[in-house]
Amino acid sequence: MRPPRASHCSVCNSCFLRMDHHCPWLGTCIALRNYPLFCVFVLHVFLLSVLNLGISVSHIVLVAKGTEPAEGVWCSGIAVVAAGFGAMFSGNLVWTHVGTLARDLTLREMLNLRYTVPGDLNPFAE
């Protein structure tokens, strides 16, 4: 008999308790055991992107003021674009997973629109 909230992953060909999703970038399923580590990983990617964005923008500002030599300013421009996209993408992931944690849902349950209608109680919440 299958436990509640267990799901089978067709990519990994395994069953997981509280399976959230299969992550193609990490090459594994995000489920009960590794979900906290995944959330910390995504948060660190977001913070690193914001840090990279801040350092690159500050370098461009210092070059514009004339206090820094103009060597490598094109690298900072590319880094601003890359870090901006990285921060938007990873920030969206952080926001989504904070929302699923607050509702005590998995991403699969949230995307299937189970227990997301106001008034419907999550039967798995305490």
Side-chain angles (χ1 to χ4, degrees), residues 17-89:
L17 289 174
R18 276 195 76 153
M19 180 177 165
D20 195 71
H21 66 283
H22 181 85
C23 183
W25 291 281
L26 298 178
T28 188
C29 282
I30 308 302
L32 180 66
R33 288 187 192 179
N34 61 355
Y35 188 73
L37 296 173
F38 175 75
C39 290
V40 169
F41 170 73
V42 170
L43 179 65
H44 283 145
V45 168
F46 173 68
L47 294 176
L48 185 63
S49 296
V50 170
L51 179 68
N52 189 4
L53 184 66
I55 289 171
S56 300
V57 167
S58 67
H59 181 251
I60 292 173
V61 168
L62 289 175
V63 168
K65 286 182 178 179
T67 58
E68 288 282 326
E71 299 170 0
V73 73
W74 63 272
C75 289
S76 292
I78 292 172
V80 164
V81 172
F85 281 120
M88 287 189 306
F89 176 70

